[in-house]
Amino acid sequence: MQDQGNQLPKTARQFPGNEPDAENPFKLLDLRVTPPKTWAAGVPAVMAAMKDLVEEKTFFRGNFALLKMNQFKGFDCPSCAWPDPDDERSPIAEYCENGAKALAEEATTKKLTAEFFKKNSVVDLAKLDDYQIGKLGRLTEPMYLPAGATHYQPVSWEQAFEKIAAHLNALASPDEAAFYTSGRTSNEASFVYQLFAKEFGTNNMPDCSNMCHETSGSALRPTIGIGKGTVKLEDFYDTDVIVIIGQNPGTNAPRMMSALAKGKKNGAKIIAINPLPEAGLMGFRNPQAVSGVLGDGERLADLYLPVKINGDMALLKAIELLLLEFEKKSPGEILNQDFIREKTVGYEEFVKQFEKYDLNTLATEAGITPAAIVEAAQILASKKRIIVCWGMGLTQQPNGVDMIREILNILLLKGSMGIPGGGVCPVRGHSNVQGNRTMLIDEKPTDEQLDRLEKFYGFKMPRKHGYDVVRAIKAMHEEKVKVLFCMGGNFLSATPDTTYTANALRRLNLLVCVSTKLNRGHLVHGKEALILPTYGRSDKDIVNGEVQMISTENSMGVVQHSKGVLDPVSDKLINEARIVCRMAMATLGGRAVVNWQRYHDSYDAIRDDIEQCIPGFENYNKRIREKGGFYLPNAARDEQRFAAQYDYRAPFTMTELPDNRLEDDEYMMATTRTHDQFNTTIYGLDDRYRGVHNERRVIFMNQHDIDKAGFKAGDKVDLFNYDDGIERVAPLFVIVAYPVPEKNTVTYFPETNVLVSVNNVVKESNMPASKYVKIKVRRHSPEVFKKVDEMLYRGEMQ
Ligand SMILES: Nc1nc2c(c(=O)[nH]1)N[C@H]1C(S)=C(S)[C@@H](COP(=O)(O)OP(=O)(O)OC[C@H]3O[C@@H](n4cnc5c(=O)[nH]c(N)nc54)[C@H](O)[C@@H]3O)O[C@H]1N2
Ligand SMILES: Nc1nc2c(c(=O)[nH]1)N[C@H]1C(S)=C(S)[C@@H](COP(=O)(O)OP(=O)(O)OC[C@H]3O[C@@H](n4cnc5c(=O)[nH]c(N)nc54)[C@H](O)[C@@H]3O)O[C@H]1N2
Ligand SMILES: [Mo]
């Protein structure tokens, strides 16, 4: 470990207006709690969006950009991956409050210059909290931290690439490098990035999917033959039932609310399954429709099921049990027997397992009354077209893959797969995370994909599967990975087990981060580190004086172009694709088979070759210039062609009920997002819909649990986890009484990632199970800071 900054006095975390306080580094702010909202969006949302633009001193710049966001000739919103309407787009605004906040973050005119880094040491910067770090402004030039240095210093692009090349070429094997991707990277940059990793010789491509929707892909592919959703936006407008499970659309995909409202207006029933009564599931006011500004909010969920954390498996099984019973009573009227016969396999065996289940036991496990489950089953029984949407509430559970398989089982029983108004909708996270995977950013590419690349490029592709995120952290710890290159993201804060991960990162020879803004991930580093500044989605990507166009793929498989509109904050920024090409030329030199200069000079050239290597991109350059872009082929959606190994039918899958017992003093914790953050980027300190203001270090607990443990709402507590026989501590949180199920608690990430063991992963997908963390809650003692002193001192704790 590097002893950087040891000569500095130990000071604690700084807060605005607060003097650093070594006794109490997480001096709490002035928490205010109001009743949770029962509807989302509306006029306050628009006001909140405007406030962010004003605060970022970018009101006019921001508003100009907002008008262009998600328009046919504009740029794709950098926030979530929810699709844009195919034909009708509001001429004024096709954005949401959180899209506007994402833009305000990106469009800020505040700059981080070399002068700033000269004044502030890495250790001092790391003592700021994430909110403060994010507000510092945009990165403007490449910065380098030499071994043993305390401050980042400016470096030319040329020298930066030379340093990367020297480190990469000094490795004993290409597998000692890993190339991380966060989900905003364009298709073009993603394609060259993965190609470089492969030409360099490794499949070590951990990406944010490994913490996000890997679980969905792991469940979907073996059943329906594709790891993606099977519905289009228009399916929401004309369907019978929409189930939203483990997802918070009002905050994380706000434009989905318009689709839900439209579907509901056309007669769809909505079932929401979530331990929290999220505002966006309960009701909605549409800020972009006059009625939303003037009229009353619409009720959204027809049925809300407040499931226990991880009680979903029992709930889904109970619904199936009831559907099978109903079918027995009215054969052929409840299930789609034609579909089951022609399009699925394994039905008989699947049905048989239900002999061992009974409704009451399953209901207790789920934490839902049998009557409410019957109501849910009746809604599904009487309808044909069902869409099921899910998010992190399922994917980040240890048995998440199995739970999604159970969703598939229900849809197969009903024949609601690959039909108009019916199918699966895993709601993706980052705006181009789906495109990243389509472009082959994947630690385990298939032979078929590699064969195609090999045929086109004429060199041997590495075949050995690489490290995903969790495996990469362990490999860094064991010094098997020595160079980590991050294309965007915040590796330290987004990943689990912060202490362990920080120690892993400190062991690197070189950490390189291509970023728009500074984050904690740049401040806990290897022996040497580089920060390479790049354009955001809203920036004009200028090459030879011309603004370039990139493309992205949304949650529903539509590939669209995007062109930034804002003048970049600095003329030293380079786009991500060019950064990759220059790294490739510097590293591979004469060894290169790929013509990197050609890709460096033209996005069109990259797109021409994507067309040759990835199915579905025929006439890419032509079609990407057309209004609204194009859909990628999806045989499950369009032709009901499912898993090839089952003769294109879909297998029913058998799963097990989990054992969710807890010790008397144990609680289950789900980590979630506030309404004021984008992953590790903290826009503000409020969680408006849930009624939490001016503090993030809170833990939601059921009033009954609070009483039972002898606490009161407002009490200060410390949180502990004991997985793997290690004590993990998250100090100083405030209890908020909240309608969560008993023995369940909810906190915000990244603050509680310190409690998530790197070994607490989802079966099969190997994702961190960050919504299934066993914790103990104890009254706060200042002594606890001694346990985390070193982490605090090094700024390794959020
Ligand atoms: N504004 C904004 N937009 C975003 C993001 C952001 O941070 N901010 N992040 C983006 C990214 S990368 C992603 S992946 C998505 C994430 O979007 P979501 O999937 O909505 O993510 P979360 O907020 O983590 O949690 C979702 C919900 O899971 C529920 N939950 C927790 N445990 C359980 C459980 O056991 N069962 C059930 N049924 N529900 C449970 C929580 O109460 C919460 O409502 O959003 C994307 N969009
Ligand atoms: N406990 C817990 N942990 C979680 C989750 C959870 O629910 N609970 N959610 C997980 C999920 S779903 C995800 S997707 C991951 C997210 O993990 P990441 O994608 O790694 O994290 P972000 O916070 O989205 O990354 C933010 C940084 O990206 C950089 N950035 C922004 N835009 C651009 C751009 O256009 N180009 C480049 N090069 N850089 C850019 C900025 O420097 C910014 O600081 O976190 C995961 N971690
Ligand atoms: Mo995500």
Side-chain angles (χ1 to χ4, degrees), residues 208 211-212 392 429-430 673 679:
C208 74
M211 298 181 272
C212 184
M392 300 300 103
H430 269 299
R673 294 157 168 76
N679 300 339

Side-chain angles (χ1 to χ4, degrees), residues 7 81 150 176 256 303 317 332 348 416 430 443 449 483 550 552 559 585 624 642 664 710 763 791:
Q7 68 279 27
T150 52
E176 288 183 353
M256 177 176 173
L303 181 63
K317 282 196 187 285
E348 266 82 39
S416 186
H430 269 299
E443 76 282 359
Q449 290 167 334
V483 175
I550 53 97
T552 59
V559 182
M585 290 186 275
I624 199 59
F642 304 125
D664 279 350
K763 211 172 87 210
M791 279 185 81

Side-chain angles (χ1 to χ4, degrees), residues 44-101:
V46 176
M47 297 307 291
M50 294 300 164
K51 185 169 151 275
D52 269 55
L53 290 175
V54 174
E55 277 174 6
E56 287 296 339
K57 298 190 178 53
T58 181
F59 191 69
F60 292 108
R61 199 168 128 90
N63 265 338
F64 163 68
L66 272 180
L67 292 176
K68 298 279 178 192
M69 193 145 90
N70 294 336
Q71 297 298 327
F72 291 121
K73 285 190 182 150
F75 62 95
D76 182 39
C77 175
S79 192
C80 76
W82 189 256
D84 307 308
D86 285 345
D87 40 13
E88 26 145 353
R89 290 194 195 177
S90 157
I92 314 172
E94 200 47 71
Y95 66 88
C96 70
E97 173 193 356
N98 278 338
K101 287 184 196 164

Side-chain angles (χ1 to χ4, degrees), residues 129-369:
D129 69 22
D130 290 16
Y131 175 59
Q132 294 167 309
I133 294 174
K135 295 287 174 216
L136 293 172
R138 287 286 299 268
L139 295 160
T140 53
E141 59 184 302
M143 301 301 301
Y144 171 58
L145 187 73
T150 52
H151 292 65
Y152 271 101
Q153 45 192 254
V155 65
S156 72
W157 279 102
E158 206 54 50
Q159 287 167 325
F161 291 121
E162 275 168 22
K163 287 183 196 304
I164 298 171
H167 272 278
L168 288 176
N169 286 328
L171 297 175
S173 146
D175 290 330
E176 288 183 353
F179 299 90
Y180 174 71
T181 319
S182 163
R184 288 196 186 176
T185 299
S186 68
N187 280 358
E188 293 78 2
S190 299
F191 184 78
V192 290
Y193 188 41
Q194 59 83 33
L195 187 64
F196 166 65
K198 292 185 177 80
E199 186 166 29
F200 179 65
T202 183
N203 282 317
N204 286 343
M205 297 213 82
D207 70 345
C208 74
S209 287
N210 300 148
M211 298 181 272
C212 184
H213 268 292
E214 190 74 55
T215 303
S216 305
S218 302
L220 293 169
R221 229 170 283 111
T223 305
I224 61 167
I226 184 167
K228 300 183 184 182
T230 65
V231 292
K232 296 181 177 179
L233 196 48
E234 67 213 41
D235 291 310
F236 280 81
Y237 304 155
D238 198 9
T239 179
D240 300 324
V241 189
I242 303 168
V243 181
I244 306 161
I245 175 166
Q247 192 221 339
N248 181 15
T251 288
N252 296 322
R255 284 178 307 128
M256 177 176 173
M257 305 293 291
S258 312
L260 295 175
K262 199 162 166 184
K264 176 146 174 134
K265 192 161 146 256
N266 293 342
K269 293 266 184 239
I270 296 181
I271 304 177
I273 303 171
N274 199 306
L276 298 184
E278 305 283 25
L281 298 171
M282 298 304 159
F284 176 52
R285 294 180 185 178
N286 187 349
Q288 289 170 33
V290 179
S291 65
V293 177
L294 301 176
D296 277 338
E298 297 175 53
R299 246 195 92 70
L300 260 189
D302 295 275
L303 181 63
Y304 164 57
L305 303 175
V307 70
K308 280 190 208 166
I309 292 173
N310 202 277
D312 306 79
M313 180 57 110
L315 173 63
L316 294 166
K317 282 196 187 285
I319 290 175
E320 288 165 330
L321 179 75
L322 290 168
L323 289 176
L324 293 169
E325 274 177 20
F326 298 162
E327 173 75 5
K328 245 191 227 154
K329 286 187 198 135
S330 322
E333 284 178 28
I334 309 298
L335 307 185
N336 186 336
Q337 293 294 350
D338 290 343
F339 180 91
I340 292 172
R341 200 170 40 249
E342 286 158 26
K343 302 286 179 192
T344 72
V345 295
Y347 173 67
E348 266 82 39
E349 199 195 343
F350 174 74
V351 173
K352 221 165 160 283
Q353 64 164 325
F354 283 89
E355 286 164 6
K356 64 175 186 236
Y357 297 122
D358 72 275
L359 179 60
N360 288 334
T361 317
L362 290 171
T364 309
E365 283 293 307
I368 308 284
T369 62

Side-chain angles (χ1 to χ4, degrees), residues 181-187 190 194 207-208 432-442 553:
T181 319
S182 163
R184 288 196 186 176
T185 299
S186 68
N187 280 358
S190 299
Q194 59 83 33
D207 70 345
C208 74
N432 197 37
V433 61
Q434 190 157 314
N436 294 172
R437 272 294 159 93
T438 306
M439 291 297 118
L440 310 179
I441 289 192
D442 194 338
E553 175 184 344

